[in-house]
Amino acid sequence: MSAPGSPAAALPLELFEYVPESALVVVAHPDDCDFLAADVLSAWVRQGTRAGICLVTDGDAGGDDPDIPLGALSRIRLEEQGRAAAHLGVHDVRCLGYPDGMLQNTLAVRRDLVRVLREFRPELVITMDPTSRFFGRGYINHPDHRAAADACLDAIFPSARDVRAFPELFREEGLQPHKTRFVLVGTGDWSDVAVPVAAVDVENKLAALGEHHSQFDATDMRESTWEGVREIGARAGVELAESYRLFDLAPNPSQREYGKGLAAPERRNGVPAPRLPQSQWG
Ligand SMILES: [Zn+2]
């Protein structure tokens, strides 16, 4: 997702070939997931991953038609997202229902995401980049994208992990704390890993994008989508891939290289673990 022409767009990427047992994508709007990770979800679901999508807003502000009654677009977009997810083999789509266009990283949003994380219990989460303000000269990042990503990361660490955070979730709803192992952030210029995908996954992504009729015509995106996954693949030495910034939140710092410390059956691909910079903060 590096901006075309940015220096980061030419940097090599390490392959992230690990197939998680479970993966949750957390985004602001219906359609965000399909730009961010549809082909990756398709690839992982084909290999047995339990996958879900969590939308933080209801998507009711998207589109240019003032005659659609308030609330009606939300229903249309959720139906579009459900059909899009089905192309990827994903049938768990949740919506927290916050008003589109007005999202902030409040404690209420964080608590709702902690609930989702503790219920779904993902090994890996994909979300957007709360620090990406601009993409090249052509796009100012949507404030909902930043707020949803910020709330998601704050929910992953530390709130979902801590039994005393939002104690009612444990005491009244019985939701056990949950530690997410990996986070992939879809970022502008800070990607460090590439997740390989196959041609069928790129076609599934295009099919998913094609379901968002109320928002755009995806036929315009075919060429740029293929170009993007080929360019990222080339940076990682594979044909097709998507890029992210990887965080490995293994509790033991000595395990904090991707794949290390996972039991053998969990290292499904048997791939060598790339050496990633470790946090000095533990
Ligand atoms: Zn969006």
Side-chain angles (χ1 to χ4, degrees), residues 28-32 77 128 139 142 144-145:
H29 310 118
D31 78 18
D32 290 341
R77 295 192 69 188
M128 305 174 101
Y139 183 63
H142 195 299
D144 287 357
H145 295 171

Side-chain angles (χ1 to χ4, degrees), residues 181-183 246-250 255-260 276:
R181 171 71 190 260
F182 299 110
V183 180
L246 169 66
F247 296 88
D248 181 347
L249 306 179
Q255 297 176 332
R256 218 166 284 158
E257 293 167 16
Y258 124 69
K260 195 174 171 185
L276 298 170

Side-chain angles (χ1 to χ4, degrees), residues 202-203 206 209 217-231:
V202 181
E203 288 296 342
L206 287 164
L209 287 167
D217 181 354
T219 53
D220 299 340
M221 299 170 182
R222 167 163 285 276
E223 198 175 325
S224 61
T225 298
W226 277 103
E227 194 178 323
V229 289
R230 285 193 185 107
E231 280 180 8

Side-chain angles (χ1 to χ4, degrees), residues 56 104-106 109-110 113 146-156:
V56 180
Q104 294 190 303
N105 177 17
T106 63
V109 176
R110 192 198 303 182
L113 285 168
R146 291 181 281 124
D150 243 342
C152 173
L153 296 174
D154 292 349
I156 290 169

Side-chain angles (χ1 to χ4, degrees), residues 43 47 62 67 112 114 118 125 141 144-145 161 185 206 209 236 271 273-274:
Q47 296 171 82
D67 295 329
D112 284 347
V114 168
R118 289 188 184 176
V125 170
N141 199 7
D144 287 357
H145 295 171
R161 180 200 67 170
V185 172
L206 287 164
L209 287 167
V271 293

